[in-house]
């Protein structure tokens, strides 16, 4: 089924284990952007973070986000999705973190004691640009 | 000389020809983020765009930006710089575009007639985060 927002031609940039760069809004309205793991289920894009990080603080305050992913094999090819963090789920056992860690081939362990603070940002894409 | 904002340990992410992901603010305050070429002179980071693109419209209205660059050889290693587009210069002969095209190894030509609209976004970094 075709998604109403995500173009079929660029959906591989979500299904491949590529880093996205997720932009959020700081308290003063300025943008913040850092690399992030992502996983797409055909409807939502999910990210793992912890409650003490800017990505969580910012999206809990203002859900507007945008993500940019380009193709390492053809770097002018990219997908930008804008949307909202529709929901923030808890991940107290770090199970979702482990799913993403396996997807990306973990090369570091999360800090000990990190799990109670771990959350899942659930993004609904509402607008796409691509090249 | 050490830059007051850019950490020495991560300056290579600016000097290498890596794609950045530049976040700007749309008219409604929501974030916009897409891949972009960059060049760093030790004080400013410069980007090429055209006056009909979101990056120019957005930064002409609101100069607040942030850029994220990660290391393709060690993708958890990244640099985020926040700052402002301090100045927008014109590039009517496309000379600055050509400098960046050579830096990145151009694999496409700019659209014919693009030059009159070509501009240089000049960013002053004011804050860094890195890992």
């Amino acid at each position: 089924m075709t998604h109403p927002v995500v173009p079929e031609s660029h959906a591989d940039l979500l299904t491949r284990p590529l880093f996205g760069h997720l932009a959020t809004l700081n308290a003063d309205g300025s943008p913040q952007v850092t690399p992030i793991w992502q996983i797409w289920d055909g409807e939502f894009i999910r990210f793992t973070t912890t409650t003490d990080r800017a990505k969580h603080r910012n999206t809990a305050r203002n859900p507007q986000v945008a993500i940019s992913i380009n193709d390492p094999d053809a770097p002018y090819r990219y997908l930008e999705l804008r949307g909202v963090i529709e929901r923030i789920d808890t991940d107290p056992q770090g199970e979702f973190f482990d799913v993403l860690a396996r997807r990306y081939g973990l090369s570091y362990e999360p800090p000990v004691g990190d799990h109670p603070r771990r959350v899942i940002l659930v993004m609904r894409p509402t607008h796409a640009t691509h090249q």
Side-chain angles (χ1 to χ4, degrees), chain A residues 3-6 14 22 39-47 63-67 81-88 121-128:
Chain A
H3 189 272
V5 172
V6 177
L14 291 173
L22 184 69
I39 190 165
W40 163 241
D41 66 7
E43 182 176 12
F44 295 107
I45 305 165
R46 287 180 169 79
F47 313 100
Q64 295 178 100
V65 296
I67 184 167
L81 295 171
R82 301 180 203 168
V84 289
I85 299 298
E86 189 163 285
R87 206 170 68 236
I88 300 178
L121 307 181
V122 183
M123 175 185 176
R124 180 184 292 282
T126 57
H127 182 79

Side-chain angles (χ1 to χ4, degrees), chain A residues 24-100:
Chain A
T24 69
L25 296 169
N26 295 312
D28 65 0
S30 65
Q32 179 265 347
V33 59
T34 46
I36 200 162
W37 287 343
Q38 53 76 23
I39 190 165
W40 163 241
D41 66 7
E43 182 176 12
F44 295 107
I45 305 165
R46 287 180 169 79
F47 313 100
T48 182
T49 188
T50 50
T51 53
D52 53 340
R53 295 200 193 158
K55 293 236 174 293
H56 175 261
R57 287 195 304 271
N58 285 358
T59 56
R61 185 196 315 110
N62 186 328
Q64 295 178 100
V65 296
I67 184 167
S68 168
I69 307 176
N70 68 339
D71 187 341
D73 304 324
Y76 301 106
R77 189 170 169 262
Y78 77 84
L79 174 65
E80 181 207 18
L81 295 171
R82 301 180 203 168
V84 289
I85 299 298
E86 189 163 285
R87 206 170 68 236
I88 300 178
D89 294 337
T90 57
D91 184 28
Q93 305 305 319
E95 287 165 359
F96 178 72
F97 175 90
D98 291 341
V99 167
L100 279 181

